[in-house]
Every structure is written in structure tokens, then in C-alpha cells.
Amino acid sequence: MTRLFTDEQLSAYLDGAGDPEVCAAIDQALATDITLQRRLERFRRADQLLREAVDNRLGHMPARLEQMATGQIAVAGFGARKRLPVRRLAQFAAMAAALLIAFGVGMKLGTGPAPSAPVLSLGPDGLVAGPVLAHAISTAYSGEPVKTEAGAVSVALSFRSSAGNLCRRFRLDQGAQSQTVVACRQDGSWRIEGWTSSPPEPSDNGFTTASGPSNAAIDAVIRKLGLAQALNRGEEASAIKSGWQSKAH
Amino acid sequence: MTMRSKQFRSELVAMLPRLRRFALALSRNRQDADDLVQTAVVRALTQEDAAQNAERLDSWMYRIVKNLWIDERRRQAVRGTPEPIDNLNDAAGDDGRRHTEARSDLAQAQRIFDRMSAELQTAAVLVIVNGLSYREAADLLEVPIGTVMSRVSRARRALAEGLSQTPSGMASNQ
């Protein structure tokens, strides 16, 4: 007489976790029991389709996950201070990934070496400029483009925000890619407040004029920060010398 | 970056697909799943020593994802229940396109998976898809091993029965 097995017993058998005595009986019954063979086959087919269905539901792996895990988006000091809400973190990381890809760094994922230093880092309060970019933002004078490993940096404006932070608007050119970025000095880092992609604008000195849709977006970022005071050349030079201390004089 | 650190990151990258599946089963939403995994990765990188010293990195990471999800659920309870699952967008309709999709085994498996309770989904994903043993899944989910066995079996049965109603499923059972 054919022994009846429960679904749970067959399921455990498939997972290699069944009771040894039951598993031996299943093995024996499979030699002759076509109904049992079909039941197991249905389960195996269900397993295979489940694997496909789950991965199908998830879709492609977001590039930012691999970039964070491999260090192409740096995670600096996170958790030491206040914690970013998950959504906000995702937003910043997506922005970092977009910027890295825009700068031609993200495209190297899996096929080339990681950059020696990330253009951007993910800090406790959002994205901050990486060391190379930060040095350029800290030392460049408005209207005098500087070339760096991260691309050519052309500062267009230095200003104090209504919160009292010193901020700079600059363009970062790398080959055919160009980003206009606003960053503010905060806790010794240059925090990225906003950015927009735009084609490089032909210019004799790399200075970006305030016109066009991308500049409108950046102007909106500056309006939100509040342009309390635009720095003149002398004030800018003082700020560069003092390392961009944000306290109002 | 030290060799140990490189090895750690490489293991972390290899683990991402499994973590995403687990996070999907917990959150029932792809976006939330990726957010969970991302936060878990940040946690692992900022606690690299602890992660590297864990007996098994995969168990450590699964646990981080689960705890993050518990925290998130508590926050959701305070904020109110979020919009349930992106997968409900796939609820079957009666137009021609849906009918065509309904004939696909994969689409059917997806619908059955979407309709499973989170308990069945997590057990099925951990054991059937990610290959954890019943003991490992039970430890992670903090339930008796018999509960995992029962959930996996129920998930399998739901899938097998649902799939047998598709034309190809019926053919294979003749």
C-alpha cells in the first residue's frame, strides 16, 4: 500500500530538513508512486518560479547600493551624530550616485579601479564634497577656474546665507559633463545644497553667467538659502585665508 | 583599504541580492526594501569592525535588516499605515492585457507571492530562495523551527495550487 505523505513532509524533504526515516520512505515511494513524483515536481516548479518572481519584483540592483558597498560613494561619520531618515538618506545617496555617474566615476563600477578619493561623501547631514573637490572650493577665487582630479572647478559666487553660513556657487566641468553646484561651509565640510546638470558653456575664463534654465534652478537653491551678503573680492580673499570660518564678522 | 576590508566589502556586495529579497519580504515594497538594505550597508560600513568580527556576516546583516525594519514599522505605527505595497498595482483586472499576463506562470507566481502574508513571504524567501536552513531562519525570525517548517510548506502549497490553475500548470499535471 502506498504511504501518504503530508505537504509539510514533502516540503522538508525538498529542503533537506526532513526526518531521516520519512525521507527514506519518500525516496523508496518515488520509485513507483507517480502521484508522489508529480506532487514533488509541482513543488520544485513552484520553487523555481518563486525565485524568478521575487527577483523580477525587485528589478535591477540600484547602482547606489553597490557603489556604497564598494566605497565609490563614501560613508563618512554616519551614525556618530544624528541619523538621517531613511528616505532622506536614499535621496542623498541617489544624488551622489547621479553626480558620480555624471562625473564619469560611477561608470567604472565593476570594470575599473575605484577613484583614489570620492568626489562626494555621504556625511551625517547629507552630501559633502570629497577632499579634492573641497580643497578646490576652499582655495579658488571667483572667476579663476582651477583644474583638479575631480574636474575643473569654476567658482562664480561666494556669499553668506541667511543662516550665517558661507556658501559658494561653482561649476564643475569634466569632459562633456558639467554640473553647477551650490555648497555651504558647515562643520568643516562643504555641504552640497543643490546642483544641476548643464552642458559646458563656452567661456573665455570659465565664468558662468546667471542665465538659462539650469541657472534658474540653482538660483532657486540660493534663494532658499537666503543670500544675506555677496562677498566682494577682499572678503572672499579673507575667507580663503581663514579657511572659511562661518561666523559672521 | 586593507585586504581584510576589501574582502569584507566584496562579501557585502555579494550579499546584496539576498538582503534585498529578505527586505522585500519584510517591507512588501521595493523602494522600502532598497532603503532598508542601503541603511544596513551604511550600518555595516560604519561598524566595520563589528561586522567583520561577526561569526557569520550574512547572519549579522540579515539581523541588521530585520531590526531596521522593526524600527521603521514602529515609526510607521506613529505616522500611520503607509500606502500598502507597490505589488497591489498588479492585482488582476479583466482587460485583455491582464488576461494575457494571467496566462504567464511567472506573473501568476508573482501574484501569489504578493498576496502571501509577510510571515509566509519571509519564510519562503529565506529558505526557498536564499537557501537558509530551517534552523537559521528560525533563529533569525525568532520563532520555533516547526513554525518555519510550517510556513515554508504553506507557501509552497499556495504556489503549487495557484500555478496548477494556469494553462501550462494544468498541462504539466496531466
Side-chain angles (χ1 to χ4, degrees):
Chain A
M1 181 184 164
T2 304
R3 176 173 168 180
L4 292 178
F5 298 100
T6 65
D7 284 343
E8 202 164 299
Q9 285 172 326
L10 292 188
S11 184
Y13 171 84
L14 283 177
D15 294 324
D19 175 86
E21 186 271 325
V22 175
C23 289
I26 291 173
D27 280 333
Q28 194 176 0
L30 277 172
T32 54
D33 189 338
I34 293 171
T35 307
L36 184 62
Q37 289 170 10
R38 284 184 178 157
R39 283 176 70 197
L40 272 179
E41 187 48 42
R42 281 175 65 201
F43 278 170
R44 286 200 179 98
R45 181 167 154 270
D47 286 1
Q48 182 54 39
L49 283 165
L50 174 67
R51 292 183 192 107
E52 289 176 33
V54 171
D55 285 343
N56 205 39
R57 168 66 67 220
L58 279 166
H60 293 297
M61 172 92 67
R64 69 174 192 266
L65 286 180
E66 286 186 333
Q67 287 167 341
M68 287 176 83
T70 54
Q72 292 191 58
I73 296 177
V75 176
F78 185 90
R81 299 165 55 202
K82 69 183 175 188
R83 191 183 149 194
L84 274 181
V86 169
R87 287 286 182 199
R88 199 168 153 230
L89 175 62
Q91 178 194 339
F92 280 124
M95 192 163 93
L99 276 169
L100 288 169
I101 287 166
F103 299 156
V105 174
M107 300 308 286
K108 293 177 182 170
L109 182 67
T111 58
S116 54
V119 178
L120 302 170
S121 297
L122 191 60
D125 293 316
L127 280 180
V128 296
V132 173
L133 182 58
H135 179 72
I137 305 170
S138 293
T139 54
Y141 284 90
S142 291
E144 296 178 14
V146 292
K147 287 190 176 172
T148 75
E149 217 178 272
V153 175
S154 314
V155 178
L157 173 70
S158 301
F159 64 98
R160 189 181 296 281
S161 73
S162 54
N165 293 318
L166 290 169
C167 306
R168 308 199 86 183
R169 169 191 159 145
F170 60 93
R171 214 178 70 231
L172 181 56
D173 291 311
Q174 193 183 56
Q177 309 276 353
S178 178
Q179 316 288 329
T180 303
V181 185
V182 174
C184 291
R185 194 71 173 164
Q186 191 172 303
D187 300 329
S189 297
W190 286 103
R191 181 178 134 151
I192 308 299
E193 301 290 345
W195 63 282
T196 182
S197 301
S198 53
E201 297 170 33
S203 164
D204 291 340
N205 59 6
F207 193 88
T208 309
T209 52
S211 63
S214 59
N215 285 311
I218 281 297
D219 288 346
V221 172
I222 295 175
R223 270 199 305 278
K224 197 172 170 189
L225 288 166
L227 200 165
Q229 177 203 353
L231 304 191
N232 62 31
R233 182 81 174 182
E235 290 164 337
E236 190 177 77
S238 297
I240 289 171
K241 276 185 189 164
S242 71
W244 298 89
Q245 303 295 320
S246 282
K247 280 184 182 173
H249 300 291
Chain B
M1 196 183 290
T2 63
M3 278 304 289
R4 191 166 181 237
S5 190
K6 277 184 187 166
Q7 172 70 20
F8 164 70
R9 283 171 183 266
S10 153
E11 282 179 39
L12 197 56
V13 170
M15 211 177 292
L16 291 175
R18 281 174 283 154
L19 294 176
R20 289 180 79 218
R21 292 181 197 127
F22 178 49
L24 176 71
L26 291 173
S27 66
R28 302 165 69 81
N29 176 294
R30 183 175 35 201
Q31 177 67 50
D32 287 344
D34 285 333
D35 285 352
L36 273 178
V37 173
Q38 179 173 300
T39 310
V41 167
V42 170
R43 185 72 60 89
L45 294 175
T46 52
Q47 298 176 16
E48 195 172 327
D49 285 344
Q52 286 182 353
N53 290 330
E55 197 174 327
R56 281 186 51 175
L57 182 59
D58 58 351
S59 303
W60 194 85
M61 287 301 293
Y62 275 130
R63 209 165 287 279
I64 295 285
V65 170
K66 189 191 82 168
N67 291 340
L68 285 170
W69 172 243
I70 291 170
D71 290 347
E72 178 61 19
R73 216 168 41 176
R74 285 196 190 116
R75 276 195 292 275
Q76 284 177 1
V78 173
R79 290 197 305 257
T81 309
E83 188 70 19
I85 342 180
D86 49 12
N87 57 37
L88 290 186
N89 295 334
D90 286 350
D94 57 2
D95 59 85
R97 188 175 59 83
R98 293 287 188 207
H99 179 71
T100 305
E101 282 181 3
R103 289 164 57 194
S104 146
D105 283 348
L106 181 57
Q108 179 70 352
Q110 201 151 297
R111 269 191 291 275
I112 297 164
F113 175 73
D114 291 345
R115 288 171 185 164
M116 281 180 195
S117 66
E119 285 76 17
L120 290 200
Q121 281 192 351
T122 46
V125 163
L126 287 174
V127 174
I128 300 173
V129 185
N130 282 358
L132 265 67
S133 69
Y134 288 168
R135 166 54 58 203
E136 289 166 335
D139 288 346
L140 174 63
L141 300 174
E142 297 177 84
V143 296
I145 198 166
T147 304
V148 171
M149 192 179 288
S150 165
R151 287 177 184 172
V152 171
S153 168
R154 279 154 57 208
R156 259 196 189 109
R157 188 169 57 215
L159 280 158
E161 285 175 358
L163 288 165
S164 70
Q165 291 164 19
T166 61
S168 57
M170 284 187 276
S172 71
N173 286 310
Q174 282 166 3

